[in-house]
Amino acid sequence: MDIHAHANWLKNFYISRQWYPYPPFVRLAFLNEELGELAQAVRTHEIGRDHPDERQQTETEQLNHIREELADVFDNVLIMADKYGLTPDDLMEASEAKLQARFGTTTTQNAEDRK
């Protein structure tokens, strides 16, 4: 799947659900909510949960839950970026530039090698 196609599909989906107009500050609250759900999913997988009203999940279920919550965080980041006119490429380039500037080039593989 292409990240740009997904970002475009996601934006159109949010628009169709009337979710897109929420301003970035509200989007940030949604992102925090999703991060909390991711934290709970990771905690369950890594150290477990001791809640008598919850069924014990299999490892596959736990990993599927982590994948689902990571996807929710990812989608919220993509929508937040779009709100500021930023593309997935902008985010990836900023990430690499920041890390390379801070730590120097520590890998022989650069962005062109991955295309």
Side-chain angles (χ1 to χ4, degrees):
M1 179 176 287
D2 177 78
I3 191 170
H4 302 286
H6 176 70
N8 188 52
W9 176 88
L10 183 67
K11 180 179 179 179
N12 289 329
F13 179 80
Y14 272 52
I15 289 169
S16 75
R17 301 289 305 169
Q18 290 83 46
W19 296 345
Y20 191 81
Y22 291 116
F25 196 71
V26 173
R27 293 251 54 91
L28 188 58
F30 293 148
L31 176 58
N32 279 318
E33 178 182 340
E34 295 302 340
L35 284 169
E37 292 173 7
L38 175 59
Q40 183 178 18
V42 169
R43 174 189 169 200
T44 298
H45 182 70
E46 295 298 325
I47 64 173
R49 286 176 54 85
D50 187 16
H51 288 255
D53 60 333
E54 292 180 2
R55 177 182 68 78
Q56 180 75 24
Q57 294 179 338
T58 66
E59 183 171 358
T60 299
E61 289 173 323
Q62 291 173 6
L63 293 173
N64 284 338
H65 191 198
I66 290 170
R67 181 179 60 187
E68 178 184 315
E69 297 307 337
L70 278 169
D72 289 346
V73 168
F74 180 65
D75 284 352
N76 273 276
V77 168
L78 289 175
I79 292 295
M80 178 77 80
D82 189 75
K83 291 293 209 168
Y84 287 106
L86 299 170
T87 67
D89 286 334
D90 295 329
L91 301 180
M92 292 183 291
E93 289 168 9
S95 171
E96 288 185 19
K98 177 182 178 179
L99 293 172
Q100 288 173 352
R102 184 175 292 162
F103 300 105
T105 303
T106 59
T107 179
T108 59
Q109 183 183 34
N110 64 34
E112 289 302 313
D113 293 335
R114 289 191 298 275
K115 290 183 180 178

